[in-house]
Amino acid sequence: MRHSHYTGALDGIRVLDISGGIAAGYCGKLFADHGADVLLVEPPEGFETRRVPPIIPGVKPPEASGMHAYLSTNKRSVVCDDSARLRELARGASLVIDGCATDERPLPLKELAQVAPNAALLSITWFGQDGPYRDFTGSDGVCMALASQIDWLGNAGEAPVIPGGYHAQIVAGQTAFIGAMGQVLAREIGNASGPAHIEVSVFEAGVCFTEIEAVRVHCGLPMRTRSGVNRFRTTYPLGIYPCRDGWLGVTVLTPSQWYGFCRLVRLKRLAGIARYRSSEARYQDADTLDPVIAEAVSGMSAKELVMRGQEMKVPLSLVPTMEELFSVDQYVSRRVFADVTHPDLGSFPLPVTPFRLRGSPAIPGGQVARLGEDTESVLEMAGAAG
Amino acid sequence: MRVRGPLRGCRIVDLSMGWAGPLATRHLADMGAEVVKVESCVHFDWFRGWEATRSWIDDCGHEKNPPFNCMNRNKLDVTLDLGTDRGRDLLLRLVSISDAVVENFAASVLPKLKLGYEVFRQAKQDIVMVSMPGFGSTGPWRHYRAYGSTTEQAAGLPHLTGHPDWPPMMVHIALGDAVAGLNGASALLVALRHLKRTGEGQFVDLSHSECLLPLGVHGIAEQSMTGTAPPRMGNRSRHHAPHGAYPCRAGRWVVIQILNEEQWNGLKGVVGEPIAGFGALTDRLARQDDLDAVVSGWTSERRAEAAMAELQAAGVPAGSVSRSNELWRDPHLKARAFWKLVDREHTGELPHASAAYRIDGEPMRIDWPSPTLGQHNCEVLGGILGLDDAEIDELEREGVIGTRPSVPEENAK
């Protein structure tokens, strides 16, 4: 549901999402939370995202997905499977998002241009509009595997580890937002006109995490390989250790951070070993050092270590569980979680848009529309009712 | 100046270093904004290297580090010693004719230089400033030091990956940097849109750790809405099976994630008899050990690429686990001209990953490689700020500008 009184930085932009995927949903969410009018143009059974876990027990489909609720704040939902009506809805749009890798689109660029001459069409797909993988079926794990994101995750000789959740699609949605926003802005400032087809592939978006590594190896530097949980050559210690009150995240790279860390966790004898000035040397001895560090911090307080370590300029952090996240001082202070409200799911806190525009802030949290909740009003507005 | 791309005419002063900030501005530079990267001979981008010694500088080590060379293409580079009055004044003159400033310094750095949003605003009333510290500009952690790993830890994401008997597991050496970079680019575009539409600049506060929360939102939402976090299950899923990484010949792996019954039927068609005894999703979820063993039996007789091709032909989501030395030879990326070789002084040709969006079938332009230190001093100071040659020579004599790093005091001892 769109916020009725809000004018944000993207006010006046209309986006139609006819894709229904997670990446498109996140891209559209960034538009909607900043004040754009985003219409979810859904088939009668609703978008695919409405069936994506977490599914909340006791709530009837298609309204039970927590993921869909997060992706759909401040948007309107219209049920429409009629191509003539779809064209009417697109009148005056700045952007239409589809998920097609074929020429058989619900709204081809030529037809879109007839009703919205300056609109861009954004196609977010797993592998893009051409190339040998174009017709491949994707998933988060498949795209991350091909983008070389998981080869270095896990223990040597064991299966590589696939990160949980929807990393690849969220990152693709963010990337698509950049590409689309650039085209929308270019049209508004007069640097571009006419239709444009923007395409984003989830696979290629993931390369932003691995391009440096690929170029390093291309330059003859050693390749990082799977060598243990939380083991990334050649930063050491880089890990997560249990303390008496929670998990401690450690990243120690420079000599001064190493000395500070040793002092902090009362391992001064390690600080006295000259070769450990080098992170590479510490990394080589990680199997020996890890149990020593783990034992040293096990009886200490992670909260105190983080506070005192940061005073010494050692980059330590808490590693909050999902439950603890909501009460981390920093996040409470910055109101990082705000209520999202859905007519069937109720109200629950979820993360707000990560970047804060002080002069034109995004909507914190927001309302989620039921499937088709806005059909009548939107079609009427578009002059397409009946 | 260099007129190119959809954002031509937008000028961004880039004070950022490392990965996140430079990735944010790289997106804008790829779209044709004029990004002026400001370094100094003393405080150069630490992605050029952070253990500068005389011999390293003599060998031009600062021009050879791949991370720097990946992140700064399509930008101009000027060196200004911001610790001097003249360097600072020149920065403010540059700001006065720019649309935005981006910075990712530790919280104490800009105030020490007598710089900050209010100072930039005096130079240009409607300036946009995107500030990108690890934990944002407010709150009790605002001064905390962070790497891209620290912010991944702080976002709680490691609790969503790996096996239940492992410690919480990170998925990258610096996950937070790339994600914050994407958010920085997004923030710049939104703020520039507001600026162009209303004439109002503003301060943008971006926290790397908050940028990571959407990557874990499935867990956050489950916790928030049901009171329980999702369990860690290694590569398995509570909702889908088979779902994991399976061994192939020569020590390689293929990821297979069956997300619906159509894909399951595709898999059955390819694997045949060995999995014929597994039924609907509930049955598969109940017998994951057996199912994984059978799927592994099939994959282990094949090369990863062959397994991927065979499965994909049947509509099964499957991907071979690529190594980083293979990524730039990937046939799909090659066919789509995703990598572009760009020649650069000191390094020769280097591959550049294009932006992951393309317009009308064309990748975004990569017009020139990452700049050498101070490469565009004359172009920026003369061409943009209008200084004459004598003034530029004087700045060089005074050490305000230059093209060679200084050895940090602690390394010179």
Side-chain angles (χ1 to χ4, degrees), chain A residues 137 139 204 310 334 349 359, chain B residues 145 202 210 224 257 312 336:
Chain A
T137 306
S139 69
E204 288 171 351
Q310 284 285 354
R334 287 171 59 83
Chain B
R145 305 272 163 151
Q202 60 182 309
E210 290 164 26
S224 179
Q257 295 184 316
Q312 283 285 357
R336 280 167 59 79

Side-chain angles (χ1 to χ4, degrees), chain A residues 9-11 13 26 53-54 56 66-67 70 127 129-134 136-137 139 141-142 145-146 148 150-155 158-167 174-175 177-179 181-183 186 188-189 191 196-200 203-205 207-211 213-215 217-219 223-224 226 229-230 232 238-240 247 249-251 253 257 306 310 313 315 317-323 325-326 330-331 333-334 336 345 348-350 354-360, chain B residues 6-8 19 26 31 47 66-67 70-71 135-141 144-145 147 149-150 153-156 158-161 166-173 175 178-179 182-183 185-187 189-191 193-194 196-197 202-207 209-211 213-215 217-226 229 235 239 244-245 253 255 257 259 263 308 312 315 317-325 327-328 330-333 335-336 338-339 350-351 353 356-360:
Chain A
L10 302 186
D11 188 48
I13 292 175
Y26 190 63
I56 308 309
M67 195 67 192
Y70 169 71
F127 292 101
Q129 303 293 305
D130 54 28
Y133 303 167
R134 183 186 83 159
F136 276 18
T137 306
S139 69
V142 163
L146 282 162
S148 192
I150 69 167
D151 181 51
W152 61 351
L153 297 180
N155 294 317
E158 296 178 10
V161 174
I162 307 166
Y166 311 104
H167 276 225
Q174 184 99 44
T175 305
F177 178 79
I178 298 168
M181 194 57 230
Q183 289 299 312
E188 291 191 352
I189 62 179
N191 280 355
H197 188 196
I198 309 160
E199 61 156 305
V200 171
F203 166 40
E204 288 171 351
V207 177
C208 77
F209 294 107
T210 50
E211 61 174 306
E213 194 58 18
V215 177
V217 176
H218 184 267
C219 291
M223 184 168 73
R224 291 192 171 105
R226 212 151 55 248
V229 176
N230 296 333
F232 295 95
L238 170 67
I240 298 173
W247 294 92
V250 178
T251 309
L253 183 60
Q257 289 165 357
V306 170
Q310 284 285 354
K313 300 184 178 174
S317 174
L318 301 175
V319 189
T321 62
M322 293 300 104
E323 189 178 6
L325 263 181
F326 296 90
Q330 178 68 3
Y331 299 149
S333 154
R334 287 171 59 83
V336 164
L345 296 167
F348 40 87
L350 289 177
F355 46 92
R356 317 280 187 98
L357 279 73
R358 293 263 175 90
S360 54
Chain B
L7 295 189
R8 61 186 178 275
W19 190 347
R26 189 183 85 178
M31 292 184 192
F47 248 32
C70 284
M71 287 300 136
F135 293 108
S137 305
T138 63
W141 294 16
Y144 278 16
R145 305 272 163 151
Y147 290 114
S149 48
T150 321
Q153 293 162 348
H159 289 284
L160 299 170
T161 290
W166 290 355
M169 183 177 172
M170 295 154 64
V171 303
H172 199 281
I173 192 169
L175 187 77
V179 177
L182 297 175
N183 277 276
S186 306
L189 288 163
V190 175
R193 198 269 177 169
H194 187 72
K196 300 292 180 188
R197 188 159 165 270
Q202 60 182 309
F203 180 81
V204 182
D205 173 13
L206 182 148
S207 145
S209 66
E210 290 164 26
C211 290
L213 295 173
L215 272 64
V217 80
H218 62 290
I220 298 171
E222 187 158 340
Q223 175 71 48
S224 179
M225 299 168 79
T226 69
N235 286 342
H239 312 288
W253 299 82
V255 166
Q257 295 184 316
L259 304 179
Q263 293 168 357
M308 172 174 80
Q312 283 285 357
S320 58
V321 176
S322 175
R323 292 179 174 161
S324 43
N325 63 344
L327 191 57
W328 100 278
D330 178 276
H332 185 73
L333 298 178
R336 280 167 59 79
F338 179 79
W339 294 100
L350 284 180
Y357 36 83
R358 52 186 68 198
I359 312 301
D360 297 328

